Amino acid sequence: MLDATPLQNAYQALLDAAATVAAAATVAAATVTDADADADADSPGPAPPHGEWNADQILAHVSLVSAATIAAVASVAAGAHTTYDNRIALDAWTIERTIEHAGGNAGLRDRIGGQAAALCALAGGAALSDAELSTPAPVRLLSNGTLLADQPMPLRDIVTGLAEAELPGHTRQLLDLLPGRAVAEATR
């Protein structure tokens, strides 16, 4: 059995950061003129640095990665062979379509919250034995065009990697969108 506490904590930290960024975007939108407010009503939050994702795109990516992880865990629990490949979660069209389907930022946060509950229940509950968690799955992971992994990996490592690296990385990425955050980091 896998201790789901780190995974739950990582998801909660990400969702807290997303809510903080969304609140900052709401405050920023309230300070613009009425004409600008109409243009910014559907704004995905503070503008990211050039070439980086905005808050909605980050959340859509996390939702897609979470769905792929749930699929891999559910496949092993069902006795089926599985693979784990994050390339679809990096596809710009798929990310934008996910934002649209979820209904924007609040919908993405709700979706991720549900995915977190499902994944923690599957991976951390009695649904999988230690032998199943040790099942190797072919893995292909990319980040910013760089191949991180292209080899079989135990299912347990896929789930713990989500908790230890993927979610904390995107939590920092969200928090970096907050006004003044980049300045504070640069002056440390």
Side-chain angles (χ1 to χ4, degrees), residues 138-160:
V139 171
R140 179 165 293 134
L141 298 175
L142 281 81
S143 180
N144 290 327
T146 301
L147 181 66
L148 301 178
D150 189 12
Q151 63 189 32
M153 198 178 275
L155 185 62
R156 171 185 285 103
D157 291 354
I158 295 168
V159 175
T160 57

Side-chain angles (χ1 to χ4, degrees), residues 26-111:
T26 301
V27 169
T31 62
V32 297
T33 66
D34 289 338
D36 291 335
D38 290 336
D40 289 342
D42 293 326
S43 174
H50 180 69
E52 295 290 324
W53 286 333
N54 65 37
D56 287 1
Q57 291 165 327
I58 294 166
L59 293 176
H61 168 77
V62 169
S63 175
L64 291 163
V65 167
S66 296
T69 307
I70 291 167
V73 170
S75 291
V76 170
H81 294 286
T82 192
T83 62
Y84 190 81
D85 188 336
N86 77 336
R87 288 179 293 176
I88 195 72
L90 300 170
D91 178 69
W93 184 89
T94 304
I95 287 170
E96 293 305 319
R97 186 80 171 177
T98 301
I99 294 166
E100 180 183 325
H101 281 253
N105 192 283
L108 287 164
R109 286 183 280 138
D110 287 345
R111 179 179 285 198

Side-chain angles (χ1 to χ4, degrees), residues 165-179:
E166 182 76 11
L167 295 173
H170 291 304
T171 299
R172 283 188 301 279
Q173 191 179 17
L174 283 165
L175 292 173
D176 285 345
L177 295 174
L178 291 172

